[in-house]
Amino acid sequence: MSLLPQLPPRYRWVETVEDDGPLLRAHAIPVLLPAEADRARRWADVLHSYAPADERPAVRAGARVASLPGHERLGQLVAQALSRPHHVLDPHRPLAAGDRGGSVLVVAPAAALPLRVLTAIVTACAEQDTETGFLTGRDAAAVTFALAKLLAAPGPDPGPARSGLVDGTTGLAHVLSGGEIDERSTVADVLGQHWTSIIVDADGSAAHAPLGALTLCGLTGAAEHTLDGTVLPGGCTPTGCKTDPSGRTRPFALHNLKTRALGVFVCNGITLGPAEQYPSNLSLALDALEGFPQAVFGLTRGDLDTSGREPRLAAESLHAGDRLGQCVALLNTDGERRGIRGPSTVLLGDPEQRLHIPGPRTSPHPRPQARRQPADTHQLGDWQRRLTDAHAVERGLHASLQRRPDPDLAACLEEMTSHRERAADQLLAAVRDASPTEEWEPRLQAQSEVWAHTALAILSRTRGGAFSRQLIASRAHHRTGRWSAAGPCPYCHAPRDAEHLTSPIGLTDRRTIRCPKCGPALSLPAGLHELEVKAPAALHPGEVAEIALRLPESAGGVLAVHLRPRSTRRGSYDHQVIAATPGPHTIRLTMPEHPMPELDRLWVVHAHRFHIAYYQQRLPVLPPTTTPAA
């Protein structure tokens, strides 16, 4: 970089952070020079838009800085600049983090902060009543840039508290004001103005969030590339997003937002581990930190059932003058009261920072009621319960049609209901006539297989497969009984939770497993034994993917295997439906020649005797494999 971009007074480009003591003692602020010229220019522009604070920020008792092993020098730099005590934090034993209360600002580049580390630190600190934030970025240079923005931060805004809210689920935008009715705005206006805080509420992923005519894209540089630095064919560019190859929507980079704090209520919106989602350099959170925002907070998980409540609760907390650490702690507490296990929201910023002068606030909603179970194993009673379970799934899907009609799904449900009701009549006749088992059970078995074929047809007869609807419907009449640990995710290796569900109305218990980054992995009724599913590590354009299944001795019924693109707007790449006989099976599915390079899905659905189980794995679509020349 021949000519360095000019920084504002008191800022200095440096090439190492090994000895910045003299600069700090001279009240200069060191910024580690990034390797890329465009990043340096953008950082200089951002810092010019912030006037450096004349004085060091006041230190609250109990506020401290911690660095992860291997990043001690960065932590010492931050602690010295903020006038806070420093210690090294062992991510495997975060309970040794220091005194109770106060706050901890954890310093490390993003690659050192995968979900398991974030979760362990936030959970342990919460048990100590300690607010937590993470000062991070794509690399060590980005961490010093984040520090520079913190030191330039003005105090709490004395004016009326206002936040811009962009709702990608409706395509609308609002201005949220403390104690006042929301003011309608437009997405373009909110994204184009200066704010103290902007909150995004949208469906999406760690890399993208659709907002109608715009798509928030996590691309920071000139092109999307894989983790080894190779440009990804068909990937995102500053002028075109791979989520819409037709170009009907325009990509928007979060580093262009003019806001001090950014809330990202997008599933997996805060994803820092380099291989926790699709293996490329796209990241909504890390891109935002490359620009104006001093703090980013949002969802770390991909398995959350959120609503419009969370963004407004966050705005209410910020407008009342809560510290950012208090705001995120409130969101996590509220999530626990609604049945979310563990922290769901993380702060990338200083937990001590306030955006507004403290004022009044309201309290969160009360804790939900608890739950219970029962069971019946008699043969006739078992079939009756299975029929009742099937009816409950159908009613759950019917309820989803009230919110979002789908004529194809409605047609499938009508057929399923007809087959189930015919089986119920046969069961009642068997009881009435005292028929022997060998007479009535084969008829019920035949009806259950017709019902199963119709249920599996939902995956291919509806445009989006309705997989998410089916998962929700299968548990709609259950309650969480307990949690236990499950094995790590086969894709991102994040720790997974097993949720054990019981029903207050006597339905069959279910067990679910979900990865906090990749989403639901399993939903299994107690009446079915789990299948073994082994998928390839990646999918490749035009190639055959082999999925190995092993079914237990008790297996029966019907099995569907689908390879699906990430987008629910397109059908499956390929699928097969087979008889679910015991033993090993190899399913060969063919990928199209030009799929979008994304993190796609493998669906396996097993239906047997009116019970239905769902399996899901995430598989990246990577460039085609090459065969060496002979």
Side-chain angles (χ1 to χ4, degrees):
M1 199 180 301
S2 56
L3 185 61
L4 299 182
Q6 184 176 3
L7 294 174
R10 291 187 52 206
Y11 291 102
R12 300 287 186 274
W13 289 119
V14 297
E15 294 186 355
T16 177
V17 295
E18 290 306 313
D19 186 16
D20 286 318
L23 280 175
L24 290 170
R25 286 191 292 273
H27 296 282
I29 302 171
V31 182
L32 193 59
L33 184 65
E36 303 87 354
D38 59 334
R39 292 177 79 198
R41 286 191 292 270
R42 181 171 56 252
W43 293 2
D45 290 342
V46 168
L47 294 175
H48 276 289
S49 67
Y50 280 112
D54 293 331
E55 299 179 358
R56 297 282 174 87
V59 180
R60 182 173 68 104
R64 52 204 186 273
V65 170
S67 54
L68 296 189
H71 306 287
E72 293 87 345
R73 183 63 196 114
L74 274 176
Q76 292 165 357
L77 170 67
V78 173
Q80 187 176 356
L82 298 177
S83 301
R84 300 180 194 176
H86 169 260
H87 63 267
V88 178
L89 178 67
D90 183 350
H92 304 294
R93 300 183 60 192
L95 283 174
D99 299 332
R100 295 182 64 86
S103 68
V104 172
L105 179 59
V106 181
V107 179
L113 295 170
L115 180 72
R116 65 181 183 277
V117 174
L118 290 174
T119 301
I121 293 173
V122 173
T123 301
C125 289
E127 291 171 355
Q128 296 178 313
D129 297 320
T130 301
E131 298 162 15
T132 314
F134 297 84
L135 197 68
T136 188
R138 292 189 183 274
D139 48 28
V143 175
T144 66
F145 174 56
L147 172 63
K149 288 187 289 183
L150 271 185
L151 293 171
D157 187 347
R162 300 168 75 247
S163 297
L165 170 62
V166 180
D167 188 345
T169 63
T170 62
L172 303 177
H174 305 268
V175 178
L176 306 182
S177 303
E180 298 181 12
I181 298 174
D182 294 357
E183 175 188 338
R184 183 66 64 85
S185 184
T186 66
V187 172
D189 281 348
V190 169
L191 298 185
Q193 296 179 26
H194 287 256
W195 298 88
T196 305
S197 57
I198 292 178
I199 298 175
V200 175
D201 181 15
D203 297 325
S205 66
H208 296 98
L211 302 179
L214 294 175
T215 295
L216 297 181
C217 180
L219 177 69
T220 300
E224 181 179 2
H225 56 73
T226 58
L227 299 181
D228 63 1
T230 304
V231 173
L232 184 68
C236 294
T237 67
T239 57
C241 184
K242 68 184 181 184
T243 60
D244 182 18
S246 67
R248 288 190 297 269
T249 60
R250 181 166 59 88
F252 186 94
L254 288 177
H255 66 253
N256 290 323
L257 290 177
K258 301 298 189 296
T259 180
R260 292 176 59 191
L262 173 64
V264 184
F265 289 92
V266 178
C267 285
N268 285 323
I270 306 295
T271 297
L272 303 181
E276 289 185 322
Q277 280 290 285
Y278 186 78
S280 79
N281 61 327
L282 299 190
S283 168
L284 292 177
L286 295 180
D287 178 55
L289 292 175
E290 288 281 321
F292 195 88
Q294 297 162 325
V296 178
F297 61 91
L299 303 179
T300 60
R301 304 174 65 113
D303 58 350
L304 299 178
D305 182 16
T306 58
S307 65
R309 168 182 169 77
E310 293 86 351
R312 285 174 167 78
L313 183 62
E316 174 191 306
S317 174
L318 297 176
H319 295 171
D322 284 352
R323 296 182 299 274
L324 293 182
Q326 288 177 297
C327 175
V328 170
L330 172 68
L331 291 167
N332 283 326
T333 299
D334 184 67
E336 290 173 6
R337 287 174 174 164
R338 292 185 295 107
I340 297 173
R341 184 172 184 245
S344 56
T345 309
V346 160
L347 169 65
L348 308 183
D350 186 2
E352 293 295 313
Q353 185 176 9
R354 292 185 196 271
L355 301 182
H356 301 284
I357 295 173
R361 52 157 310 148
T362 59
S363 59
H365 288 187
R367 184 178 296 273
Q369 297 294 314
R371 47 261 162 189
R372 39 158 328 250
Q373 48 66 281
D376 184 350
T377 54
H378 185 274
Q379 196 164 15
L380 283 168
D382 179 63
W383 274 100
Q384 178 58 46
R385 175 181 284 189
R386 289 171 180 271
L387 288 166
T388 304
D389 292 337
H391 187 202
V393 171
E394 293 167 16
R395 296 313 304 168
L397 287 170
H398 272 294
S400 77
L401 292 174
Q402 303 303 313
R403 296 186 296 273
R404 196 169 77 232
D406 183 329
D408 296 321
L409 176 58
C412 290
L413 278 174
E414 185 176 349
E415 294 175 30
M416 290 168 65
T417 300
S418 173
H419 300 314
R420 175 187 51 78
E421 288 179 343
R422 192 172 295 118
D425 288 342
Q426 291 171 348
L427 183 64
L428 290 173
V431 175
R432 215 172 33 245
D433 300 339
S435 302
T437 300
E438 60 270 19
E439 183 178 311
W440 60 264
E441 192 166 48
R443 292 199 292 266
L444 261 70
Q445 178 68 34
Q447 284 297 328
S448 75
E449 294 210 4
V450 178
W451 182 90
H453 276 284
T454 307
L456 299 189
I458 292 175
L459 299 173
S460 50
R461 286 172 58 178
T462 59
R463 184 175 62 173
F467 192 79
S468 179
R469 292 199 200 211
Q470 293 183 68
L471 288 175
I472 294 171
S474 69
R475 58 172 295 152
H477 306 97
H478 290 73
R479 302 290 182 269
T480 305
R482 63 184 178 88
W483 294 86
S484 64
C489 174
Y491 176 71
C492 72
H493 308 296
R496 300 187 297 179
D497 294 322
E499 184 183 16
H500 302 265
L501 298 165
T502 58
S503 171
I505 56 174
L507 302 176
T508 299
D509 294 353
R510 292 189 79 89
R511 177 170 61 93
T512 73
I513 294 177
R514 55 187 178 185
C515 169
K517 304 304 296 183
C518 299
L522 171 70
S523 178
L524 182 73
L528 288 179
H529 289 95
E530 187 172 350
L531 314 180
E532 293 181 24
V533 181
K534 293 185 178 179
L539 305 173
H540 301 282
E543 297 185 12
V544 173
E546 289 195 353
I547 295 94
L549 306 174
R550 179 170 291 278
L551 279 61
E553 288 301 316
S554 59
V558 188
L559 189 71
V561 183
H562 284 245
L563 281 180
R564 294 279 308 197
R566 186 184 186 282
S567 171
T568 58
R569 296 189 296 269
R570 296 184 290 272
S572 297
Y573 294 133
D574 194 6
H575 75 280
Q576 285 187 29
V577 178
I578 64 171
T581 55
H585 297 262
T586 300
I587 307 297
R588 295 175 176 86
L589 302 179
T590 303
M591 288 292 292
E593 292 293 336
H594 302 289
M596 182 184 299
E598 256 290 9
L599 194 59
D600 287 339
R601 312 164 193 259
L602 167 67
W603 290 346
V604 178
V605 182
H606 177 207
H608 181 43
R609 292 190 171 192
F610 295 106
H611 276 167
I612 192 161
Y614 303 91
Y615 302 76
Q616 179 175 245
Q617 290 187 25
R618 293 301 183 99
L619 303 174
V621 177
L622 298 181
T625 57
T626 57
T627 304

